[in-house]
Amino acid sequence: MSKASGLEGVVVAETKLSSVDGERGRLVIAGQDVETLAARATFEEVAALLLGAPLSLGPTRARAFERIGGLGDALDRTDGMDALRAAVAHLPGDAPAADVVAAPAVFVAAWARRRAGHGPVAPDPARGHAEDFLAMVKGAPPRHAERAALDAYFVTVVDHGMNASTFAARVVASTRSDLVSAVVAAIGALKGPLHGGAPGPVLEMLDAIGTPDRARAWLDRELARGRRIMGMGHRVYRVRDPRAAVLERAVESLARAGVAAPRLALARAVEREAVTLLAERHPDRALRANVEWYTSVLLGALGLPPALFTPTFAVSRVLGWTAHVAEERALGRLIRPASRYVGPLPPNEPGVPSEA
Ligand SMILES: CC(C)(COP(=O)(O)OP(=O)(O)OC[C@H]1O[C@@H](n2cnc3c(N)ncnc32)[C@H](O)[C@@H]1OP(=O)(O)O)[C@@H](O)C(=O)NCCC(=O)NCCS
């Protein structure tokens, strides 16, 4: 398969939202390094930076909560991303950006409660978005350190260049379709295990390995079976994903505040083994931990089950998608690339003109 099939290195848009330097391992979001932003900003503050104006998410969470009764069987789906996609699709096409950004937190929390056999918990507009999300999922307000860790996570994953789901959103927006349709497409892309679906499997891998001494044999067996190690490798980064370090530090802060982070030491040990084994197999391709490695440890320490990991990613990334849709609308032209026909030709035809 040619590299062109993955559009590697192809610039499809100009953006002021985020910049990914894969060689140096640097991520800049809205003009600030991800390390700085994650340490200082809340989700709402980053929303104001990315959208150019503050979003009032408290009242819009309340509006999304009122919609839950009208979602039909959307929240009965077994898979959280299926449920989120179906629930967001219920929003009116002309829903304002604040509604679209706020709703996933409410829908994902209601889905998690239903899955656990409980009723939904109403949002509290006075709380911050991260704090309220945890309160709606768990049914009790989080500790300060937990809120801070989830805010750091939300800020860290909010936007990341022209990743697959953002591209999907921009393609839809470039047709002048509505924001809800763009976000539904993006949720579909984020669900895939090569994009946002990895943190659940990372946690399951850590639990299956159990202790550092078993890591090498377990990873060896997976690779011998031709499987990929989830949470390792990245299309753009040739060094360790900078978000892995930010989230690793956020987990350390949680542990210092007395919130148990039982998998942190194991994750570090398994990461070392995985990097060594992958380097042996792919000496010319640096395969290192990506954002999902410590996402799994962080969200696990916050008491969220693996089934909630990718939906929680979407609760933050919907802000990035929304900002990209606005940018695409302001600047963009219909995204319509070309393909090269390699199929059969009708008999006695000299050739079919190339699309490009
Ligand atoms: C993220 C990912 C899809 C990037 O894919 P990509 O850019 O197409 O992959 P690369 O071109 O870097 O792959 C180079 C080689 O390394 C291998 N490789 C890449 N990631 C690997 C992994 N996690 N485990 C084992 N092998 C891996 C590929 O199979 C390929 O091998 P080949 O040349 O023998 O076919 C890929 O690294 C992956 O599948 N990672 C696991 C899923 C994951 O964590 N996703 C979340 C991303 S944030």
Side-chain angles (χ1 to χ4, degrees), residues 1 21 33 37 40 63 73 112 136 142-143 154 157 213 215 251 254 282 294 317 320 332 334 343 346:
M1 192 68 73
D21 181 338
D33 279 304
L37 209 57
R40 294 194 194 142
R63 252 201 313 276
D73 63 358
M136 287 188 288
R143 295 174 50 184
F154 279 173
V157 304
D213 55 305
V251 180
L254 262 183
H282 299 281
Y294 289 98
R317 184 57 67 84
L334 175 70

Side-chain angles (χ1 to χ4, degrees), residues 70-86:
L71 292 181
D73 63 358
L75 298 184
D76 292 334
R77 314 282 172 104
T78 322
D79 182 276
M81 291 299 278
D82 287 348
L84 179 62
R85 191 189 57 223

Side-chain angles (χ1 to χ4, degrees), residues 167-247:
F167 184 45
R170 285 192 82 130
V171 169
V172 175
S174 83
T175 71
R176 302 200 183 153
S177 181
D178 54 76
L179 172 61
V180 169
S181 301
V183 167
V184 167
I187 291 170
L190 188 69
K191 181 185 172 189
L194 298 191
H195 184 10
V202 171
L203 192 94
E204 282 151 15
M205 170 186 69
L206 293 176
D207 288 352
I209 292 173
T211 51
D213 55 305
R214 295 179 37 176
R216 195 174 181 92
W218 195 96
L219 295 167
D220 242 341
R221 206 170 48 241
E222 285 293 290
L223 291 170
R225 287 177 181 154
R227 296 194 186 138
R228 291 187 177 199
I229 308 301
M230 290 292 126
M232 284 283 149
H234 198 273
R235 170 56 62 83
V236 181
Y237 290 119
R238 295 297 173 262
V239 292
R240 196 177 187 236
D241 184 335
R243 299 169 299 173
V246 172
L247 297 183

